[in-house]
Amino acid sequence: MGSLCFNDGVQDDRQPWWKAATFYQVYPASFKDSNDDGWGDLPGLISKVDYLHGLGVDCIWVSPIFESPQKDMGYDVSDYQKIYAPYGTIEDVDALIQTCHERGMKLILDLVVNHTSAEHEWFQESRSSRTNPKRDWYIWKPPRYDAGGNRQPPTNWRGYFAGSTWTWDEHTQEYYLHLYASEQPDLNWENAETREAIYEETMRFWLRRGVDGFRIDTVNKYSKRTEYIDAAVTDKNSPYQAAPEMWCNGPRIHEFIREINQVLAPFSAVSVGELSNTPDPKQVLPYVSTRARELDMVFEFSVIRLGNGDLFTGKYIYKPFTLSQLKALTEKWQCFIEGTDSWATVFCENHDNGRAVSRFGDTSTPELWRASARTIALWQATLTGTLFLYQGQELGMTNMPASWDISHYQDVEAVNFFAEAVASRNEQRIQATKHGLSILARDHARLPFRWNEDDNVGFTTDSAKSWMRIPREKGISVESQLGDRTSVLEFYREMLRLRKRFQGVFVFGTHTLLDRENESTWAYIKEGFLTTKDGHRMRGRALVVMNFTVERAPLVDVSAALGCAPESTRLMVTTACGAVRGAKDELSAWEGRIYCDFGPEICI
């Protein structure tokens, strides 16, 4: 791009590449199977890089591909320097890096270093004896005993996948800590030798091969409170209690992340951390402050967790939410960086949540599905920060069909939570959990990517071999949408181009929410600096207005919202197509529009 855009006076050529970039998360098991075994792989991904490049993607993020027993779909790594064979080889990673770089694209990998697999050689050594040199690489504690002399875990903490965070090791007669499944023992970041091994064997190894950075899993859980005391009892029906305060944002966490930054800095590698259980902006800002030299970006989950119940025992007891709640949380995480040296991320889908159009949109009819998916695209593309898309989001992929029963869920979390509900013998809880899973479960995002309209959706050649069942839905595929200007895919392509062209407003601009209590329509102003064709800098304003209902809704006073004369306003984009477009003063069902106060004299 020859011209520059500005954000608070900072020129675009001084901004790091990743701020205005569009990242695209690939869940490799479900993306593209090249060898007909029913499991997506790296050669399949390589064959589709041109599709992603044409979509407008700047950087691909690949979910875990390392050697793993797959107890948690690769988030249980048994060897950080080997590739899980169904995905391919380390040479395939090299080829993927080269393919991306030849197209001016970047590649980041998923870094899982809060824990390893129980099959990792580090843990095998650690559990071999209490005197092994790697014993302290993990967190081991002796048992407690109750009044009756019965052995009990060291604390009453409940894990993310249900049950205790502690597992008894008969051989060495101690418990080890695991915040997730028992097959995922937590590393001991208090041990400097452990940290250096992590930096050398998991980070520098891949950076030297040319990867451009990492999405860093569970990034704020490395520093635990070392007193290892019981959590307060909040669930009297369970022996195990939610205790995120014991392991999130612990006493040494910023020290550890600054060390990570020192590893990444010589490679100019980008970092985006998964920041759980941190809903206070004051806690988030230190992680992403430029001066602090910790992380470039983080994922904060308040928006994407809407609808979830309590994170632990009631996570899948669905809680309906209002549009005003969605607005307020979006505003909060849009504005928290204003006046700071920090940065934000924009996302509404990932591998751990149900599909956005099934949660925030309307899938009751094909027409409303298309309209709401396009409006979600407009919402995401006009927000400040770095945009992250998840595979299939650009097609409007939906959750599993309602007709599928619980047997189709494979994710360890869904299986464990439902088993726990069944064990309670509480029919109301069982049905509520089943309903919540149908909306929120992680499995929904892991359905095979839909390349075409045949029975195998172009993912594999034999649907019977597919690791997950393939839904039979027409119209949600690359083949059916590519080239159709009314499609969800083509609208995403249009919005990504618009976002980049006017990045001074949409990527770097400020966010001002209007009419926050309105439960039908959502409007906000984006404002930032743009450049005219003759090279002058000017401030531009855009009004984003969206109807989140099936009824026609009145349009706000556009010129008043933009603060300019009616003849100075311009309709940039509408999500509506042809006859369904709303009148001049109203929005049709699920229609979104962008108006601006700048014209064709702007160039980016």
Side-chain angles (χ1 to χ4, degrees), residues 106-151:
K106 309 283 188 180
L107 178 75
I108 66 172
L109 301 182
D110 214 314
L111 187 67
V112 186
V113 289
N114 174 72
H115 48 266
T116 68
S117 165
E119 296 183 18
H120 196 290
E121 65 175 4
W122 294 348
F123 188 69
Q124 292 298 303
E125 287 191 51
S126 184
R127 77 187 314 177
S128 65
S129 75
R130 292 195 191 185
T131 59
N132 186 276
K134 287 189 173 62
R135 181 67 171 183
D136 193 43
W137 284 37
Y138 294 82
I139 299 169
W140 294 91
K141 297 295 175 186
R144 297 186 297 181
Y145 292 90
D146 62 21
N150 301 302
R151 187 183 71 233

Side-chain angles (χ1 to χ4, degrees), residues 188-358:
N188 180 16
W189 276 71
E190 297 288 326
N191 186 319
E193 186 180 3
T194 307
R195 298 201 304 276
E196 181 52 37
I198 292 169
Y199 303 151
E200 181 63 23
E201 298 192 29
T202 75
M203 299 182 190
R204 294 190 188 100
F205 176 83
W206 289 105
L207 292 168
R208 290 177 184 130
R209 296 192 82 93
V211 303
D212 299 292
F214 300 101
R215 176 267 188 183
I216 308 178
D217 189 60
T218 61
V219 76
N220 60 331
K221 297 176 182 174
Y222 306 156
S223 174
K224 279 79 170 175
R225 286 178 55 180
T226 55
E227 312 97 295
Y228 293 99
I229 57 176
D230 279 348
V233 175
T234 54
D235 182 2
K236 295 181 180 179
N237 297 316
S238 173
Y240 309 118
Q241 306 299 316
E245 71 278 5
M246 300 295 180
W247 60 70
C248 283
N249 310 308
R252 299 184 67 189
I253 191 62
H254 293 289
E255 173 191 347
F256 296 158
I257 296 180
R258 282 192 293 271
E259 285 187 1
I260 292 174
N261 180 276
Q262 291 169 8
V263 174
L264 302 180
F267 298 90
S268 299
V270 64
S271 60
V272 53
E274 181 190 31
L275 202 69
S276 299
N277 305 306
T278 312
D280 184 352
K282 292 180 181 178
Q283 281 187 294
V284 175
L285 285 169
Y287 287 97
V288 290
S289 164
T290 301
R291 286 187 294 272
R293 297 185 179 181
E294 293 190 17
L295 299 166
D296 294 319
M297 302 173 279
V298 296
F299 296 129
E300 195 287 325
F301 295 104
S302 294
V303 170
I304 207 170
R305 294 291 191 219
L306 269 174
N308 283 103
D310 169 74
L311 182 58
F312 291 86
T313 53
K315 179 176 180 181
Y316 289 113
I317 307 299
Y318 182 69
K319 291 184 177 180
F321 56 89
T322 63
L323 178 60
S324 60
Q325 288 176 287
L326 179 57
K327 291 181 189 180
L329 286 173
T330 300
E331 178 192 32
K332 175 181 178 179
W333 295 106
Q334 280 287 279
C335 298
F336 88 107
I337 62 169
E338 290 181 7
T340 75
D341 64 348
S342 302
W343 193 240
T345 55
V346 178
F347 67 104
C348 66
E349 286 198 22
N350 64 21
H351 63 292
D352 280 338
N353 294 275
R355 288 292 187 172
V357 71
S358 297

